[in-house]
Amino acid sequence: MSTKSCSPTTCWSEPLDTRYLLHNLAARYPTCWTFAVDGLVGATPELLLERMGYEVRSRVLAGTVWPRGGHTAEQLAAELLASAKNRSEHAYAAESLAVRLRPFCSDLTVPDEPEVIRLRNVLHLATNVEGKLSESNATTGPATLLRMVAAVHPTAAVGGTPTDDAVLAIDELEGMDRGRYAGPVGWLDGSGNGEFAIALRCAQVEATATPGVGAGRGGGKVRLFAGCGIVPDSDPDLEVAEAEAKLLPIREALEGVR
């Protein structure tokens, strides 16, 4: 399994306040993790890792369908669950996360079957992984959140599998610099608890020097990101359509669609 990303660029004639994007994204995607870090703004549905005390969880997403005329949400969900291509893509992603997280845990629960989550623009296969952290491990060291994030990222969903070979192939073939796209984004408190999501459904706002506009509030160029998992059964035209569906949240946020 590999992944493919695209990155169209939109130029803005007026300074763009990133808070405008955040407000629109949060209003339309309240179940997602909305974020803004150094000009990268988005609303991602994928939780890489959350640690609270000795509990850790993740929500792995891979396998996608999108709204089409004449299909109800229930029909689309059934189609997604019945798709061998999407189920295979999802299994790669869930297994890659579990294999790397398991050494930190005394117990790790990975459901046998994925569920479907529904967003305004797409439906995803999802697996909620939950674990109990070990006190310490001679191989991994203490199960700090940052150490676990470094161990599990990139999952197959954004880096392909086997990871080392896939990442090299992506670097050679993808033809773009992802920047912060598909990287971990989140927070960490003084007790070691926190959340890191994967930076998806996002855009990089490139600031321009505008007199009278505060730092971080202006921008003249917005680079949008979207990507798809590529497996042997992938159809190029459908992968392009999937990427278009994944670009919709940022495009609509730019247009002020509510």
Side-chain angles (χ1 to χ4, degrees):
M1 175 183 173
S2 186
T3 64
K4 179 63 178 176
S5 302
C6 64
S7 179
T9 299
T10 299
C11 294
W12 224 250
S13 60
E14 299 293 333
L16 177 64
D17 191 333
T18 56
R19 296 174 300 181
Y20 173 79
L21 288 179
L22 281 174
H23 178 76
N24 291 339
L25 287 168
R28 288 179 63 80
Y29 295 89
T31 61
C32 293
W33 286 265
T34 306
F35 61 90
V37 179
D38 199 20
L40 186 70
V41 182
T44 177
E46 186 157 8
L47 175 66
L48 181 61
L49 284 178
E50 176 193 74
R51 176 182 174 166
M52 292 293 165
Y54 283 95
E55 297 183 353
V56 63
R57 72 182 185 101
S58 176
R59 184 165 78 179
V60 181
L61 302 184
T64 306
V65 294
W66 49 97
R68 304 193 306 276
H71 292 74
T72 66
E74 289 72 21
Q75 289 172 327
L76 291 170
E79 174 187 314
L80 184 56
L81 286 167
S83 167
K85 179 265 183 185
N86 282 299
R87 294 289 291 257
S88 173
E89 180 182 332
H90 185 81
Y92 284 129
E95 179 64 16
S96 71
L97 183 285
V99 165
R100 294 179 183 178
L101 185 58
R102 188 168 281 114
F104 294 95
C105 298
S106 59
D107 180 68
L108 188 70
T109 301
V110 184
D112 293 330
E113 294 290 323
E115 59 187 69
V116 175
I117 66 165
R118 303 177 185 183
L119 302 173
R120 297 177 70 103
N121 61 318
V122 293
L123 290 79
H124 289 301
L125 290 178
T127 291
N128 294 303
V129 179
E130 298 181 349
K132 300 289 186 182
L133 297 175
S134 303
E135 290 278 352
S136 187
N137 183 293
T139 302
T140 63
T144 66
L145 182 55
L146 291 181
R147 182 174 277 118
M148 290 188 289
V149 166
V152 303
H153 179 76
T155 68
V158 297
T161 187
T163 304
D164 292 343
D165 293 335
V167 167
L168 288 175
I170 290 168
D171 186 53
E172 178 183 352
L173 300 173
E174 195 165 72
M176 59 170 273
D177 179 2
R178 292 187 182 186
R180 295 179 177 85
Y181 167 67
V185 58
W187 60 272
L188 181 69
D189 70 14
S191 299
N193 298 318
E195 291 179 310
F196 280 85
I198 300 178
L200 306 173
R201 316 297 136 83
C202 58
Q204 183 70 43
V205 179
E206 298 183 8
T208 57
T210 304
V213 176
R217 295 179 57 189
K221 185 185 293 184
V222 184
R223 184 185 181 196
L224 286 64
F225 294 93
C228 305
I230 307 299
V231 295
D233 293 337
S234 291
D235 179 301
D237 291 335
L238 291 179
E239 299 297 340
V240 171
E242 180 179 328
E244 289 287 343
K246 290 175 176 177
L247 288 169
L248 197 60
I250 291 292
R251 284 181 168 169
E252 291 185 340
L254 286 167
E255 296 168 359
V257 175
R258 296 290 179 84

